[in-house]
Amino acid sequence: MTAADVFAHPASRLSLEVFRLNGALIAVGDALVAPLGLTSARWQVMGAVAEARGRLPVAGIARNMGLVRQSVQRIADELEAEGILHFVANPHHRRARLVQLTERGAALFDAASASWLALADTLVAALGAGEVDRAVALLRAARESLQPPDREEEAS
Amino acid sequence: MTAADVFAHPASRLSLEVFRLNGALIAVGDALVAPLGLTSARWQVMGAVAEARGRLPVAGIARNMGLVRQSVQRIADELEAEGILHFVANPHHRRARLVQLTERGAALFDAASASWLALADTLVAALGAGEVDRAVALLRAARESLQPPDREEEAS
DNA sequence: GTCATATTGACCACGCGCTGTCAATATGTC
DNA sequence: GACATATTGACAGCGCGTGGTCAATATGAC
């Protein structure tokens, strides 16, 4: 296979489609939560905080999201300034305070979730739940195949 | 369905997996072309220029990539400064010069393509070509379902 | 306790995408 | 030709992700 065929390779087409869908999802997410004064990235951080049930510090949230600490830290600081989340003392670690949604943050996240679930339902209805699950499994397998199995190294 | 189930929704899991794979692909791409002095984004622009066979200006390349003009323009300017591509007169439009790879640019792109194809082959071998095609079709259907069918509006 | 190591938060710089705006150029209508 | 409209390139600003570095704090080996 020569370089000229690079565009036709199944892996190339998968990659390009992942890039496009990634962009489309962020655009849809931004539009969805803009009325709430949020962005796609802030919404995602709020989701990770909600999922952790307030039992993780910023670094733990970042690990769950597959991002580096610094990215989440900046957004978390902004969300704290807006009263959407707050940091509480961590009995196990003096510096690594736990991140929790405030009442206002939880209400915002619930509102965002409601909007998203409406769209998510129509999306799955159009695509078929079984096909979606199958694609999720393949995407995960692709990612695990790309990521050298264990890599938790610190950026520094 | 309540907001608490938002994480379990098939569309949510698909979205998160797309985000993760998108990040993994960019990371792999960066690592792949770093020895050539490239980045994932520059490599992608070079690919779009190669695919257009030097018959499109920056705005056309951007449309093909699903990005806005300005993003591609900045990278194209940098690639021109490094002698990887150059702008040639467009007989049909005085301002919109056509973008073409230089000899050096074409050689770099061939080298990057060779590296990628080796990885792409192992990836498809591990996942199964049929499954990959099936996933590509679903991702495209998901994107088309998310994007209001015709939207070419200019940012301004 | 002492030590090396790992983790965390803090700051800074940068890459890459977006939007907004402007002038220059093409295009279509009259 | 005159005009409105669309397209393109240029420039500026911002959001979000990354990496690098530092000090503070936990953890484990001895």
Side-chain angles (χ1 to χ4, degrees):
Chain A
M1 175 171 275
T2 74
D5 300 318
V6 69
F7 304 113
H9 195 291
S12 299
R13 295 189 299 110
L14 177 66
S15 301
L16 291 177
E17 204 52 62
V18 167
F19 293 148
R20 293 195 194 102
L21 181 53
N22 180 75
L25 284 171
I26 291 175
V28 165
D30 278 336
L32 209 61
V33 299
L36 302 173
L38 297 175
T39 64
S40 197
R42 293 182 179 199
W43 175 30
Q44 281 182 258
V45 170
M46 290 169 67
V49 171
E51 198 170 18
R53 304 183 143 270
R55 290 174 298 202
L56 288 178
V58 162
I61 299 292
R63 261 194 303 274
N64 282 354
M65 297 182 70
L67 304 179
V68 298
R69 283 176 294 121
Q70 295 89 327
S71 311
V72 175
Q73 186 75 53
R74 185 178 53 77
I75 293 182
D77 288 343
E78 294 171 356
L79 291 179
E80 186 205 17
E82 295 180 17
I84 289 173
L85 53 78
H86 62 294
F87 301 104
V88 306
N90 181 351
H92 294 32
H93 197 304
R94 197 188 305 182
R95 295 196 77 196
R97 290 176 298 162
L98 304 177
V99 190
Q100 296 182 353
L101 290 179
T102 61
E103 271 191 37
R104 171 155 173 267
L108 272 178
F109 184 67
D110 285 347
S113 295
S115 298
W116 163 246
L117 286 174
L119 179 60
D121 283 344
T122 67
L123 194 60
V124 172
L127 301 173
E131 280 298 297
V132 172
D133 286 343
R134 193 163 177 158
V136 170
L138 181 126
L139 297 182
R140 176 162 44 233
R143 175 173 52 86
E144 287 168 353
S145 175
L146 285 175
Q147 286 174 335
D150 60 301
R151 297 198 1 286
E152 318 285 279
E153 305 96 355
E154 181 71 3
S156 60
Chain B
M1 177 172 272
T2 74
D5 301 317
V6 69
F7 303 113
H9 194 290
S12 299
R13 295 189 300 110
L14 177 66
S15 301
L16 292 177
E17 204 53 61
V18 168
F19 294 148
R20 294 195 194 101
L21 182 53
N22 180 76
L25 284 171
I26 291 175
V28 165
D30 279 335
L32 209 60
V33 299
L36 303 173
L38 297 174
T39 65
S40 197
R42 293 182 180 199
W43 175 30
Q44 282 182 258
V45 170
M46 291 169 68
V49 171
E51 199 170 17
R53 304 182 143 272
R55 291 174 298 202
L56 287 178
V58 162
I61 299 292
R63 263 194 302 274
N64 281 354
M65 297 182 70
L67 304 179
V68 297
R69 282 177 295 121
Q70 296 88 329
S71 310
V72 174
Q73 185 76 54
R74 187 178 52 77
I75 293 182
D77 288 343
E78 293 171 356
L79 291 179
E80 186 205 18
E82 295 181 16
I84 290 173
L85 52 79
H86 62 294
F87 301 103
V88 306
N90 182 351
H92 293 30
H93 196 305
R94 196 188 304 183
R95 294 196 77 198
R97 292 176 297 164
L98 304 178
V99 190
Q100 296 183 353
L101 289 179
T102 62
E103 270 191 38
R104 172 154 172 268
L108 271 178
F109 184 66
D110 284 348
S113 295
S115 298
W116 163 246
L117 285 175
L119 180 59
D121 283 343
T122 66
L123 194 60
V124 172
L127 301 172
E131 280 298 296
V132 172
D133 286 342
R134 193 164 178 157
V136 170
L138 181 125
L139 298 183
R140 176 162 44 233
R143 175 173 53 84
E144 287 168 353
S145 175
L146 285 176
Q147 285 175 336
D150 62 300
R151 299 206 351 292
E152 317 285 278
E153 305 95 356
E154 181 72 0
S156 59

